[in-house]
């Protein structure tokens, strides 16, 4: 990347002022490679020259020069009272209009007399800002020239010649500087070149063609400089990067090693490392308030940038599952600590955060110290080696975070949350790109490209929206004033003149030029610029792929399991009977993650019912005691046990409503229990060890009763709907829990106790068919007990043996896929076909 200039007239003690930093870099490289004296001329961008001028002028050094970021922050502070809908867009437009107003010498009184509401708001904010500068002895870059004009005239007599380059239409302020320095213009050498002008149907096809051309040209001429100009690069940079990475196979390649350079950066806060850092600071701030946001907590716990990220990787994933099962948007900090036993490093961090004691009101300077202390507690970036790009990004953050120190002079005491908000707003405004490597392919915007020279150039998106473009009036400067002062893009005459200059600059980028445009972008029709003629649209053809016959391999037998002691044995056998592949999946020990819900989940509702009934029947352990209870005492017991069962649920309207619902349902179920013959509760929520054909696991029985004749009955509470006896006798079994209990315990019956607002009933299979109050129809359809237990045993033993032997065929029963999370693995349709 260089400039197309005759540099022979520039001496070593001369100074060149250019329009932007990229032109300055290109000019320095061109000077370094030219046949000149060893000592190079001084080259500055316009803004850099002004800042150097202020530092060297020795004029009233008590005045403080505001940085661009302080300038932006102060205008943002003054604008807060305006209550705008989009503050980011508002402040950018305000800054643009302020610079136009200063650089074009517009009289503020000329704007203030107009009735426009935006103009009046602009005048009020600018006067407020100017008053602030006067009271605090501050200036900004727009003030430098007027304060140093006399000094300029003196230094221009002693420091060699001054030149200017790259200014298409200089502003009145710039002209004032150039006149004071007697700047001589430098003009690029005119190139006699012809161009190829292509049209494409779709924008994506256009970008793919450019990427292929760039790769082909770079391979053929590796020493040549290739420029790709994208006028709307700020809109297309992600698409451009994706297409070029795909073409050059550089998706996972570090920025400094990519075969191309994109000149446009992104907001510092958009980089993953900074996103993680901001989440960590947010969570740390929340810890000071006693509650944390669940979403922020899950982001931080899984962050690869904190201490212990690798050593506790699996346990932290399990912790996230526990957090999601709470189904709460906010969690108390002491609750989090109780969940972290498997993550000692993380728990140590949380304890330190919990013990941190910050004052409510602090300065911005002290808030930065607190944030750095939090990052130290988290061991940020200590658990992994940063890549080159990440290192540059973190280094940039550390520099930019110092804005809080600078703003501390202008800001009153604040809270840590407000300080963090200021820091985040600042990171959103900072555009940054890690340093690129020495690639020979440069992707630039049109303004950045002007004044440069390449061996090959492709300019895309040559639409009428770019050249000639549209009239664009500044929001806060009235149209009449904008036209009177000839602000850029405010009249057809100016647009025409600017378009001709831009086209000439683009045509002067290289002797080997290609222009292109596409008819459609994101399904929106585009019109070609009228300044060029294009060939018929180009359509990229997909490469021909020769189809190959697929080879089918039947493989549904896994190795036999070695460890016969398993977890979730009931679910495993039930899955094995419904679909062998689904049973096999249990070998992989996938962690189930429940979807978050608003309010109280179905799982929590079921646990609450189980908890209440366990407590109740531990206290009222027989039918005699139950029938002797008065209604008042019964209501008291239900109230007490309901309150205890709901203790873990956060206070909310959901909890209040759930308590009302639960008390009604429990009362209905207790009334059903009162209709039974004599029974005695001999166990609630009791754990039992099971061995089915060698497969061993533990189960938990909701309740076991002893009846009048000494027989035993197992009861399983079910709070769901559509629970019936058919699920126990269908082939295959749809509910394996009660059959497993029946063949593993000396009992004479099993029963579902359905407990919900629509249905409180017993649904059972028992030796004595009249053990429970059920309808005559249910009793008549009840199968014979001994035969049913024998059938259960045969089916469960067969399922156990198939699971142990690795049977994993995808052959689901009719309902096996209804709630299956693994359908993408086995690829079955809803009809159960492979």
């Amino acid at each position: 990347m260089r400039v197309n200039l005759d540099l022979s007239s520039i001496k070593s003690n001369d100074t060149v002022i250019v329009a932007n930093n990229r032109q300055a870099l290109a000019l320095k490289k061109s000077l370094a490679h030219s046949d000149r004296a060893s000592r190079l001329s001084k080259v500055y961008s316009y803004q850099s020259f002004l800042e150097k001028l202020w530092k060297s002028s020795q004029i009233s050094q008590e005045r403080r020069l505001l940085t661009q970021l302080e300038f932006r922050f102060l205008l943002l502070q003054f604008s807060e009272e305006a209550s705008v809908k989009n503050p980011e867009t508002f402040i950018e437009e305000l800054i643009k209009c302020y610079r136009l107003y200063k650089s074009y010498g517009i009289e503020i009184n000329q704007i203030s007399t107009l009735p426009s509401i935006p103009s009046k708001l602009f005048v009020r904010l600018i006067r407020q800002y100017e008053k602030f500068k006067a009271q605090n002895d501050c200036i900004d870059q727009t003030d430098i020239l007027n304060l140093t004009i006399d000094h300029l005239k003196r230094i221009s007599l002693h420091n060699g010649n001054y030149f200017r380059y790259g200014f298409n239409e200089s502003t009145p302020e710039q002209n004032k500087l150039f006149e004071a320095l007697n700047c001589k213009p430098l003009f690029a050498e005119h190139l006699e070149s012809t161009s190829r002008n292509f049209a494409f149907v779709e924008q994506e096809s256009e970008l793919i063609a450019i990427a292929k051309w760039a790769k082909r040209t770079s391979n053929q001429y590796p020493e040549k400089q290739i420029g790709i100009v994208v006028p709307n690069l700020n809109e297309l940079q992600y698409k451009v990067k994706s297409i070029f990475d795909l073409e050059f196979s550089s998706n996972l390649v570090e920025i400094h090693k990519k075969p191309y350079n994109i000149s446009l950066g992104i907001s510092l806060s958009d980089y993953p490392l900074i996103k993680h850092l901001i989440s960590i600071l947010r969570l740390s701030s929340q810890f000071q308030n006693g509650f944390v946001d669940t979403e922020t907590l899950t982001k931080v716990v899984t962050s690869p940038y904190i201490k212990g990220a690798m050593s506790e990787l699996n346990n932290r994933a399990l912790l996230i599952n526990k957090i999601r099962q709470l189904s709460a948007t906010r969690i108390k900090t002491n609750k989090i600590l109780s969940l972290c036993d498997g993550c000692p490093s993380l728990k140590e961090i949380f304890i330190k955060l919990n013990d941190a004691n910050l004052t409510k009101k602090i300065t911005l300077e002290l808030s930065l110290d607190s944030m750095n202390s939090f990052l130290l507690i988290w061991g940020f970036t200590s658990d992994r080696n940063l890549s080159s790009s990440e290192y540059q990004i973190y280094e940039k953050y550390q520099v930019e975070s110092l804005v809080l120190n600078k703003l501390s002079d202008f800001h009153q005491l604040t809270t840590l949350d407000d300080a963090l908000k200021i820091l985040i707003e600042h990171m959103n405004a900072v555009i940054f790109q890690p340093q690129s490597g020495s690639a020979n392919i440069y992707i630039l915007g049109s303004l950045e490209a002007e004044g440069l020279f390449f061996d090959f150039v492709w300019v895309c998106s040559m639409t009428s929206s770019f050249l000639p473009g549209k009239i664009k009036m500044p929001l806060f400067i009235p149209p009449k004033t904008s036209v009177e002062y000839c602000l850029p893009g405010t009249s057809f005459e100016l647009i025409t003149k600017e378009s001709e200059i831009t086209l000439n600059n683009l045509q002067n980028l290289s002797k080997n030029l290609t222009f292109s445009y596409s008819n459609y972008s994101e399904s929106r029709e585009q019109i070609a610029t009228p300044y060029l003629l294009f060939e018929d649209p180009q359509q990229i053809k997909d490469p021909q792929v020769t189809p190959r016959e697929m080879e089918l391999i039947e493989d549904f037998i896994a190795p036999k399991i070695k460890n016969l002691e398993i977890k979730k044995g009931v679910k495993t056998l039930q899955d094995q009977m419904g679909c062998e592949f689904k049973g096999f999946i249990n070998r992989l020990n996938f962690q189930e993650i429940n979807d978050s819900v608003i309010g109280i989940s179905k799982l929590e509702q079921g646990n609450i019912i189980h908890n209440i009934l366990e407590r109740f029947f531990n206290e009222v352990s027989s039918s005699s005691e139950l029938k002797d209870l008065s209604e008042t005492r019964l209501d008291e017991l239900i109230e007490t046990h309901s309150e205890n069962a709901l203790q873990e649920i956060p206070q909310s309207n959901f909890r209040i409503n759930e308590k009302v619902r639960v008390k009604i349902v429990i009362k209905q179920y207790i009334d059903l229990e009162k209709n039974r013959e004599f029974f005695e509760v001999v166990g609630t929520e009791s754990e039992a060890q099971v061995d089915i054909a060698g497969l061993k696991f533990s189960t938990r029985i909701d309740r076991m009763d002893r009846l009048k004749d000494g027989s035993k009955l197992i009861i399983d509470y079910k709070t769901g709907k559509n629970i019936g006896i058919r699920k126990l006798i269908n082939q295959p079994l749809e509910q394996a829990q009660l059959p497993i209990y029946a063949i593993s315990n000396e009992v004479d019956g099993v029963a579902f106790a359905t407990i919900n607002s629509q249905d409180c009933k017993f649904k059972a299979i028992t030796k004595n068919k009249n053990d429970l109050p059920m309808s005559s129809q249910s009793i008549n359809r009840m199968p014979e007990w001994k035969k049913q237990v024998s059938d259960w045993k045969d089916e469960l033993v067969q399922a156990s043996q198939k699971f142990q032997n690795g049977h994993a065929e995808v052959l689901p029963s009719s309902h096996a896929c209804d709630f299956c999370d693994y359908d993408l693995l086995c690829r079955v349709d809803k009809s159960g076909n492979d």
Side-chain angles (χ1 to χ4, degrees):
M1 185 173 58
R2 54 193 186 277
V3 293
N4 181 29
L5 286 174
D6 179 5
L7 304 174
S8 60
S9 62
I10 302 176
K11 308 303 179 186
S12 59
N13 63 335
D14 292 342
T15 301
V16 184
I17 302 173
V18 297
N20 57 54
N21 290 327
R22 189 163 290 277
Q23 290 175 356
L25 180 62
L27 182 55
K28 288 177 182 178
K29 286 186 177 180
S30 298
L31 287 168
H33 289 88
S34 64
D35 186 16
R36 305 176 65 255
S38 59
R39 185 170 177 268
L40 297 180
S41 308
K42 296 180 284 294
V43 181
Y44 300 99
S45 69
Y46 180 78
Q47 295 295 341
S48 298
F49 183 81
L50 286 181
E51 291 181 10
K52 177 184 176 297
L53 180 63
W54 175 252
K55 292 176 183 177
S56 63
S57 65
Q58 302 298 319
I59 299 173
S60 184
Q61 291 302 305
E62 292 181 359
R63 290 189 180 183
R64 176 177 169 186
L65 176 62
L66 297 172
T67 65
Q68 295 292 325
L69 301 169
E70 290 175 302
F71 163 63
R72 186 180 188 281
F73 172 78
L74 290 169
L75 285 183
L76 188 61
Q77 291 291 98
F78 297 139
S79 303
E80 284 185 350
E81 299 175 5
S83 301
V84 292
K85 291 183 179 179
N86 193 335
E88 289 296 324
T89 304
F90 177 87
I91 197 64
E92 293 304 327
E93 186 67 22
L94 180 63
I95 291 171
K96 183 183 90 171
C97 290
Y98 174 78
R99 286 175 176 156
L100 287 171
Y101 141 71
K102 294 294 289 285
S103 59
Y104 280 81
I106 300 173
E107 293 292 334
I108 196 72
N109 291 332
Q110 186 176 353
I111 302 177
S112 63
T113 57
L114 297 172
S116 165
I117 294 177
S119 299
K120 288 185 177 297
L121 175 61
F122 176 71
V123 171
R124 178 170 66 81
L125 293 174
I126 295 309
R127 283 178 172 166
Q128 190 176 356
Y129 172 62
E130 296 288 357
K131 180 180 179 182
F132 172 87
K133 288 195 298 182
Q135 291 174 341
N136 292 274
D137 288 327
C138 295
I139 65 166
D140 58 44
Q141 280 194 334
T142 63
D143 300 314
I144 293 176
L145 190 59
N146 288 332
L147 293 172
T148 57
I149 190 69
D150 294 332
H151 175 69
L152 269 176
K153 294 174 180 176
R154 290 195 299 272
I155 65 170
S156 63
L157 300 175
H158 308 291
N159 291 340
N161 294 318
Y162 285 84
F163 296 89
R164 57 187 170 92
Y165 175 69
F167 296 89
N168 293 335
E169 286 292 316
S170 50
T171 66
E173 178 193 71
Q174 291 168 344
N175 287 331
K176 191 175 181 180
L177 172 68
F178 299 151
E179 289 172 10
L181 296 174
N182 193 25
C183 266
K184 301 173 184 178
L186 293 173
F187 298 103
E189 296 181 7
H190 182 69
L191 299 177
E192 295 294 338
S193 61
T194 58
S195 64
R196 297 171 301 168
N197 306 331
F198 297 131
F200 293 86
V201 176
E202 289 285 344
Q203 187 176 67
E204 187 169 351
S205 299
E206 181 184 11
L207 295 175
I208 292 172
I210 294 172
K212 291 182 180 296
W213 167 83
K215 185 177 182 180
R216 185 171 60 251
T217 306
S218 180
N219 290 338
Q220 190 174 356
Y221 305 103
E223 301 302 321
K224 300 296 185 179
Q225 302 291 294
I226 301 168
I228 297 166
V229 181
V230 186
N232 50 342
L233 183 58
N234 58 331
E235 300 173 11
L236 295 178
Q237 67 167 315
Y238 290 107
K239 182 178 286 188
V240 170
K241 179 180 179 299
S242 174
I243 288 172
F244 270 73
D245 275 340
L246 188 63
E247 181 62 34
F248 286 92
S249 302
S250 58
N251 276 303
L252 301 178
V253 175
E254 276 285 293
I255 288 178
H256 67 283
K257 294 181 180 179
K258 285 184 183 292
Y260 63 88
N261 293 327
I262 295 185
S263 66
L264 191 64
I266 61 175
S267 293
L268 195 57
S269 58
D270 285 339
Y271 287 101
L273 182 139
I274 304 303
K275 285 184 176 180
H276 281 264
L277 184 148
I278 289 172
S279 294
I280 287 168
L281 293 179
R282 277 188 173 138
L283 186 65
S284 303
S285 178
Q286 290 170 9
F287 253 86
Q288 309 309 304
N289 302 322
F291 283 89
V292 299
D293 174 63
T294 306
E295 185 178 353
T296 305
L297 178 62
T298 54
K299 287 179 183 176
V300 173
V301 167
T302 55
S303 172
Y305 298 103
I306 62 176
K307 184 167 59 179
M310 293 305 297
S311 60
E312 295 180 356
L313 179 65
N314 293 333
N315 285 343
R316 290 185 184 185
L318 295 175
L319 174 60
I320 292 299
N321 190 23
K322 293 179 184 176
I323 293 169
R324 286 176 174 165
Q325 286 177 347
L326 295 176
S327 300
T329 56
R330 296 177 73 228
I331 309 173
K332 286 185 178 181
T333 52
N334 57 1
K335 179 65 176 178
I336 297 171
L337 290 173
S338 68
L339 299 174
C340 293
D341 291 336
C343 307
S345 294
L346 191 62
K347 188 170 186 177
E348 181 185 358
I349 292 171
F350 286 156
I351 290 172
K352 288 181 179 179
L353 291 175
N354 211 35
D355 293 342
N357 189 15
L358 299 181
T359 55
K360 295 294 183 182
K361 293 286 184 178
I362 53 177
T363 63
L364 288 179
E365 190 172 5
L366 288 176
S367 71
L368 180 58
D369 291 339
S370 297
M371 292 178 195
N372 290 335
S373 298
F374 288 144
L375 294 178
L376 193 61
I377 290 173
W378 284 99
F380 188 69
T381 72
S382 66
D383 206 59
R384 55 172 284 177
N385 293 325
L386 296 183
S387 66
S388 172
S389 299
E390 288 175 328
Y391 181 82
Q392 293 178 58
I393 292 165
Y394 189 36
E395 197 173 45
K396 180 67 173 175
Y397 161 79
Q398 290 174 317
V399 171
E400 296 299 336
S401 66
L402 296 177
V403 70
L404 293 179
N405 285 347
K406 295 175 183 177
L407 297 177
S408 195
D409 294 343
F410 309 131
H411 204 280
Q412 301 296 325
L413 291 176
T414 187
T415 64
L416 185 62
D417 285 342
D418 288 339
L420 183 55
K421 181 182 176 183
I422 292 171
L423 181 65
I424 293 171
E425 287 175 349
H426 176 60
M427 294 302 159
N428 290 338
V430 175
I431 304 299
F432 178 71
Q433 181 181 27
Q435 186 175 359
S436 301
S438 56
N440 66 329
I441 300 172
Y442 299 88
I443 304 173
L444 314 93
S446 59
L447 290 177
E448 293 174 297
E450 290 183 12
L452 304 181
F453 177 78
F454 301 91
D455 297 296
F456 300 91
V457 166
W458 187 314
V459 185
C460 69
S461 299
M462 291 294 291
T463 66
S464 60
S465 298
F466 169 49
L467 289 180
K470 301 176 182 178
I471 289 179
K472 297 178 181 177
M473 290 292 179
L475 176 61
F476 298 108
I477 300 176
K480 182 180 178 182
T481 305
S482 299
V483 174
E484 180 183 344
Y485 281 85
C486 297
L487 301 188
T490 55
S491 69
F492 291 114
E493 292 79 6
L494 284 173
I495 287 177
T496 302
K497 183 179 179 181
E498 292 162 4
S499 297
E500 290 172 352
I501 293 172
T502 298
L503 182 61
N504 181 67
N505 288 337
L506 293 175
Q507 290 174 330
N508 221 35
L509 289 173
S510 176
K511 293 180 180 180
N512 300 286
L513 271 172
T514 302
F515 290 102
S516 68
Y517 92 103
S518 54
N519 288 330
Y520 292 92
S521 172
E522 303 292 338
S523 301
R524 291 175 299 177
E525 187 174 3
Q526 299 186 129
I527 301 174
T529 175
Y531 294 103
L532 297 171
L533 294 176
F534 292 89
E535 299 177 5
D536 291 335
Q538 302 287 310
Q539 184 72 49
I540 293 182
K541 295 181 180 180
D542 294 329
Q544 294 296 319
V545 179
T546 304
R548 231 170 48 168
E549 187 176 348
M550 298 294 289
E551 182 180 359
L552 178 63
I553 299 175
E554 291 192 6
D555 181 10
F556 50 84
I557 300 295
K560 294 183 179 181
I561 63 171
K562 295 179 181 179
N563 185 4
L564 296 180
E565 293 185 2
I566 64 171
K567 296 180 179 179
K568 299 183 179 179
V570 173
K571 181 180 183 302
T572 297
L573 290 180
Q574 186 170 307
D575 288 345
Q576 186 73 26
M577 289 183 286
C579 172
E580 291 179 357
F581 178 78
K582 192 175 178 182
F584 164 76
I585 288 293
N586 286 281
R587 285 193 185 193
L588 306 181
N589 294 319
F590 284 151
Q591 188 68 29
E592 293 181 4
I593 298 176
N594 296 313
D595 294 334
S596 58
V597 297
I598 298 174
I600 301 174
S601 68
K602 295 292 184 184
L603 178 63
E604 288 176 311
Q605 290 178 332
N607 289 338
I608 290 167
I609 293 290
H610 278 68
N611 196 325
I612 294 171
L613 292 176
E614 178 190 3
R615 295 169 185 268
F616 183 88
F617 284 108
N618 281 339
E619 189 168 347
V620 181
S621 59
S622 69
S623 57
S624 303
E625 294 178 23
L626 179 61
K627 292 175 180 178
D628 288 343
L629 285 177
S630 65
E631 286 297 314
T632 302
R633 179 56 182 159
L634 177 59
D635 290 342
E636 288 176 357
L637 288 174
I638 294 174
E639 168 69 29
T640 300
H641 296 313
S642 298
E643 182 63 33
N644 289 334
L646 286 158
Q647 277 185 349
E648 296 298 320
I649 305 298
Q651 287 286 354
S652 65
N653 287 336
F654 292 114
R655 173 176 168 169
I656 294 171
N657 292 337
E658 180 63 11
K659 184 176 178 181
V660 172
R661 187 192 74 85
V662 161
K663 286 168 63 177
I664 294 172
V665 171
I666 292 293
K667 183 67 164 57
Q668 290 174 349
Y669 176 67
I670 296 299
D671 289 341
L672 175 65
E673 289 275 6
K674 287 181 179 180
N675 294 327
R676 291 177 58 188
E677 297 294 331
F678 175 83
F679 67 87
E680 180 184 7
V681 179
V682 295
T684 60
E685 299 296 331
S686 56
E687 189 170 323
Q689 298 302 315
V690 174
D691 184 332
I692 297 182
L695 198 65
K696 299 176 182 178
F697 52 90
S698 62
T699 61
R700 184 174 294 276
I701 299 172
D702 290 348
R703 182 171 139 203
M704 184 183 290
D705 289 359
R706 182 183 292 110
L707 307 183
K708 186 175 182 179
D709 60 0
S711 61
K712 292 181 180 178
L713 173 72
I714 290 178
I715 297 177
D716 190 48
Y717 303 132
K718 291 293 183 185
T719 56
K721 299 171 184 176
N722 300 320
I723 301 295
I725 291 301
R726 286 188 177 276
K727 294 183 181 294
L728 298 179
I729 59 178
N730 281 347
Q731 295 289 331
L733 281 174
E734 293 181 42
Q735 287 284 340
Q737 194 165 5
L738 285 179
I740 289 173
Y741 294 162
I743 69 171
S744 305
N745 296 272
E746 292 294 331
V747 293
D748 301 288
V750 292
F752 288 133
T754 59
I755 308 169
N756 55 65
S757 56
Q758 296 181 1
D759 188 17
C760 283
K761 294 179 181 177
F762 288 115
K763 300 172 182 181
I765 300 176
T766 59
K767 186 176 181 179
N768 180 1
K769 296 185 178 184
N770 297 310
D771 281 339
L772 292 170
M774 296 189 296
S775 67
S776 58
Q777 187 178 12
S778 297
I779 292 174
N780 292 334
R781 287 190 299 189
M782 187 186 299
E784 196 273 325
W785 172 250
K786 285 187 177 181
K787 183 180 183 305
Q788 186 60 62
V789 172
S790 177
D791 291 344
W792 283 338
K793 187 172 184 179
D794 291 343
E795 191 170 356
L796 288 166
V797 166
Q798 186 181 28
S800 174
Q801 291 172 342
K802 284 187 174 183
F803 176 76
Q804 295 174 48
N805 292 327
H807 284 244
E809 187 175 4
V810 181
L811 196 62
S813 61
S814 57
H815 298 293
C817 298
D818 290 353
F819 301 100
C820 182
D821 297 323
Y822 313 118
D823 55 337
L824 290 178
L825 295 175
C826 65
R827 299 185 182 276
V828 296
D829 60 30
K830 294 300 180 183
S831 64
N833 298 318
D834 287 340

